[in-house]
Amino acid sequence: MLVSLFTLHTVQAYSNTPYHFGFKKSKNGSLPSIAQEGFQSIVDKHGAIFVGDTTKKELFLTFDNGYENGYTAQVLDTLKEKKVPAIFFVTGHYTKDQPDLMKRMTEEGHLIGNHSWSHPDMTQVSDDKMKEELGRVKTAVAEITGQKEMSYLRPPRGIFSDRVLALSKEIGYTNVFWSIAYKDWDTNAQKGWKYAYDNVMAQLHSGAVILLHTVSKDNAEALGKIIDDARKAGYEFKSLDQLVRPN
């Protein structure tokens, strides 16, 4: 009881001021930055991931899977063909709707991360509700795939606070943001595979954590060429478990 009261006091001591994750994009080989966003100290304090080791030509593929739009199997086919690991952040809806795809993810060596049960703004829910949101996904993934451990969390909507990062870290999660992204989630605004390819390749940098959404037809069609051309440029794709945070 004393431990739980201490924990409650500790978590409540953190600010719940909300932030929307944003970053200065890499261009022409420059490194991305969150220094200008006003939350870097919070991200660093809680060990959240924004980027890997920028001295090494390593890339980390991450996908958000809120719902299925018919392209995840194609993404998995490409990853299997190219022998590239990835992590898929799933919601409660996805666990209920796509158990077979989730089984395939783990069977083919990919990680599954937590994207919450109902995709809420975590700064607007209680500590208990947040724990429930994350716990339900973890339990569902374990029941479907046998993946007992779940170490990574992508905050829904990219919204977070000091409190959210503190509480999620306390219950065993590393929050994962990103250093390469573009507006790929709007299924009514797909612009062709080359648009996806150009957006990703223009931002490519060492240690990049790449955020893609599997609902995008453009992403599914561009992924193979992105992988091939990144490798030609000397990059290596690694699992998030292999990421070493910069000092």
Side-chain angles (χ1 to χ4, degrees):
M1 185 62 177
L2 287 175
V3 173
S4 63
L5 283 174
F6 174 76
T7 298
L8 179 62
H9 173 76
T10 302
V11 172
Q12 287 183 340
Y14 290 98
S15 168
N16 198 42
T17 300
Y19 295 95
H20 289 69
F21 186 78
F23 64 104
K24 182 180 179 181
K25 292 183 178 181
S26 169
K27 291 183 180 179
N28 301 317
S30 66
L31 293 178
S33 172
I34 57 173
Q36 68 289 335
E37 301 295 332
F39 53 66
Q40 181 165 353
S41 62
I42 297 172
V43 170
D44 290 345
K45 175 172 63 174
H46 298 296
I49 292 171
F50 148 64
V51 69
D53 187 340
T54 56
T55 69
K56 296 181 179 179
K57 297 195 77 171
E58 300 172 343
L59 302 174
F60 304 89
L61 270 179
T62 75
F63 295 89
D64 282 3
N65 290 66
Y67 65 96
E68 182 54 40
N69 196 34
Y71 300 111
T72 302
Q74 183 179 347
V75 167
L76 287 168
D77 288 345
T78 299
L79 296 175
K80 184 176 182 179
E81 176 190 351
K82 306 295 183 183
K83 296 181 173 59
V84 169
I87 183 169
F88 296 85
F89 290 95
V90 301
T91 61
H93 173 81
Y94 205 87
T95 66
K96 292 188 293 182
D97 191 52
Q98 299 296 330
D100 290 341
L101 281 174
M102 290 173 54
K103 289 175 184 176
R104 184 179 169 188
M105 290 170 189
T106 55
E107 287 169 359
E108 294 181 0
H110 305 297
L111 299 173
I112 296 180
N114 206 319
H115 202 34
S116 80
W117 188 259
S118 62
H119 206 256
D121 174 351
M122 289 294 198
T123 68
Q124 299 301 307
V125 303
S126 68
D127 290 2
D128 286 344
K129 178 62 176 175
M130 181 174 165
K131 290 177 180 178
E132 177 189 346
E133 284 277 335
L134 302 181
R136 290 182 71 185
V137 172
K138 181 178 180 179
T139 297
V141 170
E143 290 175 349
I144 293 166
T145 70
Q147 178 185 293
K148 301 300 183 184
E149 298 300 319
M150 183 170 279
S151 303
Y152 301 106
L153 165 65
R154 174 151 284 153
R157 313 183 196 184
I159 303 174
F160 66 100
S161 67
D162 198 15
R163 177 188 70 89
V164 168
L165 296 191
L167 180 58
S168 53
K169 180 181 179 182
E170 176 194 300
I171 57 180
Y173 288 96
T174 296
N175 283 270
V176 181
F177 295 103
W178 53 89
S179 64
I180 292 180
Y182 77 103
K183 186 181 177 183
D184 63 342
W185 46 264
D186 188 346
T187 57
N188 294 316
Q190 299 295 291
K191 300 180 180 180
W193 73 266
K194 194 170 186 307
Y195 181 79
Y197 171 87
D198 288 345
N199 268 275
V200 173
M201 297 301 290
Q203 299 178 59
L204 217 57
H205 67 88
S206 296
V209 178
I210 304 171
L211 164 60
L212 298 173
H213 289 79
T214 55
V215 295
S216 166
K217 180 175 185 289
D218 294 352
N219 285 343
E221 294 180 351
L223 184 59
K225 185 168 176 58
I226 289 171
I227 291 170
D228 288 345
D229 288 357
R231 281 174 164 165
K232 287 176 184 176
Y235 290 97
E236 181 181 2
F237 288 88
K238 291 191 172 184
S239 169
L240 203 59
D241 277 344
Q242 297 172 287
L243 183 148
V244 177
R245 295 184 71 251
N247 294 325

